[in-house]
Amino acid sequence: YNQSILHKQLPEIDPINRQFYHTQGCLLELCNLTADSLMFDTTIKLFPNGKPSKNTFSKTPIAKVSIQPKTKCIHDFIFSGISQRRMNRSIYNGELLSNEELDGIHSLGRPYNQSIQWTNDPSLLSSILPILDEAFAMETNRYVSNELNRKWFRLTEESMFTNRDGLTLEGNGLSGMKLWFAKKFFVDLSKESWHSEDSKQAGIKMFRSQVYSSKALVFFISEGKDDETTWIQTGRDFMRYTLSCAVKKIAFHTMNQAVEDYPESRVYHKQLKKILNLKSNQEIQLIARLGRSDYQFDSLRRDLKSFLI
C-alpha cells in the first residue's frame, strides 16, 4: 500500500493537494518501472479504500500495488535513466533545444495519460518566460509562501544530513565561491533577514537568471476531470518524461508558481491558458523548463525505513 505523509503537505501553496498527488504518481510509476526491470508486471489500484478526506488523509492508502511475474519479455527502457535523473535548477547553456531533441524525449517516454505540449519557439518563449518570472516574484513577496520556503530551507551541512529533504543553495545550482559567499554572508534563516527586501530580491534575481536561460518549456495538460486520479496520472507522466530527459542527457526544472491553487497564482494560469490556446476544461498541471547543463548535485534522500509503516 502507498499511503500519504501528512506533514509533507504544503497547504500554503498547494491547498487542494494537487502537487502532493503528483508526487504520489511519480512514486507509483517508478514502482511500476522498477518491477518491470526485475521481470515483474504491476497492477495498480488507486484508492482501494476510497479517496481520503481531510481527517483520514494520513491513514487512507493512495494505491494498492500488486506484482506478478512477466509472461512476456517486454521491457520499458526509460528505467535506464534512473541513476541520472535529478532536478537541475542551474543556469542552462547552449542553443535552444531542437525539434528533433524534443520529439526524441517525448517519444521515448511514451505512453502518457495526459497531453504533453512543448515549445522552443522564441516568440512564444518571450511571451511565457516573463509570466513565470512574475509568478515567482509574487510567491516570494507573498509572506506565507516565502515563510514556507524558510521553514524548508536547509542551509548548513548538518541540517541537510539531519533532515535529508527540503531546499538548499546547492540544489539551486550554486557551487564554488558563489556558494561559499552566499552561505557565509548573504543567506540568513532568521525571519527578519529572510523576509527583508534585499533577501527577497536576491532570490528573485537568481530565479530570473534560471528562467531566462530556458532552452524549451514543457507543459503537462489535462482535459476534462481535474481530480485526484488525474493528478496521480500526471505524476506518472512526469516521471516517464523526466526519465526520458535523463536518458537523453537533457536537464529539467519544474516551475509551477504560475499554476498553483491559490488566488494570486490562478491569475497567471489564466494568462498561460490564453497564450497556449487551451480550452476551458483543460488544466495546466505542471510546467518545466528544459536545457543543457553540466551541473550536478545529488539531493539527499531519507532512509527507506522512514517510509515504511
Side-chain angles (χ1 to χ4, degrees):
Y1 286 94
N2 175 30
Q3 293 191 218
S4 55
I5 304 172
L6 195 60
H7 73 277
K8 295 296 181 181
Q9 291 177 270
L10 306 173
E12 296 88 345
I13 60 172
D14 190 28
I16 64 173
N17 289 312
R18 180 191 303 275
Q19 294 181 45
F20 186 90
Y21 280 109
H22 289 165
T23 66
Q24 300 293 303
C26 286
L27 176 61
L28 290 171
E29 186 58 30
L30 189 56
C31 176
N32 173 59
L33 292 168
T34 303
D36 176 82
S37 72
L38 297 172
M39 289 298 294
F40 289 93
D41 287 324
T42 61
T43 301
I44 298 176
K45 181 181 180 181
L46 298 182
F47 307 110
N49 296 343
K51 294 182 179 180
S53 67
K54 183 177 180 180
N55 294 330
T56 63
F57 199 80
S58 63
K59 299 177 182 178
T60 305
I62 301 299
K64 180 180 180 180
V65 182
S66 305
I67 62 172
Q68 50 275 335
K70 279 183 173 292
T71 57
K72 296 181 180 179
C73 189
I74 300 173
H75 284 291
D76 202 326
F77 293 103
I78 59 171
F79 184 75
S80 63
I82 188 61
S83 63
Q84 297 302 315
R85 181 188 178 274
R86 53 182 55 78
M87 186 90 75
N88 190 326
R89 296 181 177 88
S90 67
I91 296 173
Y92 297 162
N93 52 57
E95 301 299 318
L96 295 174
L97 296 186
S98 67
N99 290 332
E100 291 75 17
E101 287 174 306
L102 292 166
D103 284 336
I105 296 169
H106 188 269
S107 297
L108 181 62
R110 286 175 178 160
Y112 302 113
N113 294 290
Q114 311 294 349
S115 170
I116 297 177
Q117 297 182 23
W118 67 84
T119 183
N120 58 356
D121 179 76
S123 62
L124 199 54
L125 290 174
S126 67
S127 298
I128 295 173
L129 295 182
I131 295 174
L132 303 184
D133 180 20
E134 188 176 335
F136 181 87
M138 173 277 297
E139 191 160 282
T140 301
N141 286 310
R142 181 175 177 257
Y143 184 88
V144 291
S145 48
N146 196 40
E147 177 63 9
L148 179 68
N149 288 335
R150 186 185 73 84
K151 291 177 179 178
W152 281 92
F153 208 90
R154 315 303 184 205
L155 183 59
T156 66
E157 189 172 286
E158 180 183 1
S159 66
M160 290 167 61
F161 277 90
T162 299
N163 294 286
R164 306 185 74 84
D165 61 12
L167 306 169
T168 64
L169 289 171
E170 292 88 342
N172 271 286
L174 288 187
S175 61
M177 290 301 294
K178 286 184 177 180
L179 175 64
W180 184 84
F181 270 103
K183 287 195 173 190
K184 190 75 174 177
F185 300 110
F186 295 109
V187 180
D188 182 342
L189 296 184
S190 67
K191 279 190 177 184
E192 181 180 3
S193 178
W194 184 267
H195 292 286
S196 69
E197 195 60 31
D198 286 346
S199 177
K200 290 188 291 185
Q201 287 303 315
I204 292 168
K205 182 179 179 181
M206 182 167 64
F207 181 87
R208 183 169 294 141
S209 65
Q210 295 167 351
V211 71
Y212 282 107
S213 75
S214 303
K215 307 308 176 185
L217 292 173
V218 60
F219 302 86
F220 294 73
I221 299 169
S222 63
E223 185 171 349
K225 284 188 177 181
D226 184 34
D227 60 5
E228 295 90 341
T229 299
T230 302
W231 306 337
I232 289 173
Q233 290 172 339
T234 299
R236 295 189 68 172
D237 287 348
F238 179 70
M239 175 56 71
R240 297 187 65 83
Y241 191 90
T242 52
L243 281 171
S244 182
C245 285
V247 172
K248 298 290 187 178
K249 295 180 170 52
I250 297 297
F252 73 91
H253 172 195
T254 54
M255 295 185 154
N256 294 318
Q257 292 81 10
V259 291
E260 291 172 332
D261 291 287
Y262 57 91
E264 298 93 327
S265 178
R266 300 313 283 179
V267 172
Y268 301 105
H269 182 258
K270 290 179 180 178
Q271 294 176 22
L272 292 173
K273 285 186 68 170
K274 185 176 181 180
I275 291 173
L276 296 173
N277 294 315
L278 299 185
K279 294 181 288 188
S280 60
N281 68 338
Q282 289 181 298
E283 190 81 15
I284 304 171
Q285 297 285 341
L286 286 169
I287 304 172
R289 69 182 178 113
L290 305 174
R292 305 175 186 84
S293 172
D294 294 327
Y295 181 77
Q296 287 198 2
F297 173 71
D298 296 334
S299 297
L300 294 165
R301 292 292 181 259
R302 289 178 291 143
D303 189 275
L304 178 62
K305 293 179 181 178
S306 69
F307 292 93
L308 301 178
I309 299 176

